[in-house]
Amino acid sequence: MQLLAVPMASSGGGGITLLLPLILIVGMIWFMSRTQKKQRQRQADTVAALAPGSKVITTSGLVGIVEETDDEYVTLEISEGVLVQVVKAAIGRVVPDEDATAEDTADETDSADAADVTATDDATKVDVPDTGRDKADGKVQDTPKLPPTHTEN
């Protein structure tokens, strides 16, 4: 039996083919580190802008009003008279004031629309819950039921 040596066919451009995945990996790492750097900067700006009276939400979901800020800690009032001290890094975001939001939307209303609105007595207003009957598709949705507030023994 005789073995013959057959030359292997080359695909051409072997160096570029090997370099392309390496370039892609380096590009992905650079992009991810850039994104993380922007997020850290945004978090640092949020923490630096904390002032007493600001409403904030922590990363764990705790909502409170800033009472005092320190170098490392923020004191939050989570309920009337209940103060909690958290690390500044735990502040997730600052909640915008509802008063400022209401004023912005009030300024955007047209004067013609404001003239059409008539003043009504607060005693004649009736608060009716939305039952979902005015949906565009005509289907009625059930209102969600709350869980029981106590258990009977």
Side-chain angles (χ1 to χ4, degrees), residues 21-87:
L22 182 63
I23 292 171
L24 288 175
I25 290 171
V26 169
M28 286 176 48
I29 290 171
W30 177 77
F31 180 74
M32 289 188 302
S33 67
R34 188 170 161 242
T35 305
Q36 286 178 352
K37 187 176 182 180
K38 285 183 180 180
Q39 287 177 345
R40 282 193 305 267
Q41 182 63 38
R42 201 172 340 149
Q43 173 68 17
D45 292 343
T46 301
V47 169
L50 287 178
S54 301
K55 188 172 185 179
V56 295
I57 299 177
T58 64
T59 54
S60 62
L62 190 66
V63 180
I65 298 173
V66 176
E67 289 293 318
E68 182 182 342
T69 58
D70 196 357
D71 290 339
E72 294 182 37
Y73 300 103
V74 176
T75 304
L76 299 178
E77 182 177 19
I78 58 173
S79 184
E80 191 173 328
V82 180
L83 299 175
V84 177
Q85 198 172 34
V86 296
V87 179

Side-chain angles (χ1 to χ4, degrees), residues 67-131:
E67 289 293 318
E68 182 182 342
T69 58
D70 196 357
D71 290 339
E72 294 182 37
Y73 300 103
V74 176
T75 304
L76 299 178
E77 182 177 19
I78 58 173
S79 184
E80 191 173 328
V82 180
L83 299 175
V84 177
Q85 198 172 34
V86 296
V87 179
K88 277 190 173 182
I91 302 298
R93 64 185 170 111
V94 177
V95 178
D97 292 336
E98 294 173 359
D99 297 336
T101 308
E103 289 174 6
D104 292 342
T105 56
D107 291 341
E108 294 174 359
T109 57
D110 295 331
S111 59
D113 291 340
D116 291 340
V117 176
T118 59
T120 59
D121 187 23
D122 288 339
T124 60
K125 290 183 182 180
V126 177
D127 188 15
V128 179
D130 182 22
T131 58

Side-chain angles (χ1 to χ4, degrees), residues 5-22:
V6 180
M8 296 179 63
S10 70
S11 61
I16 294 175
T17 309
L18 294 175
L19 214 60
L20 186 63
L22 182 63

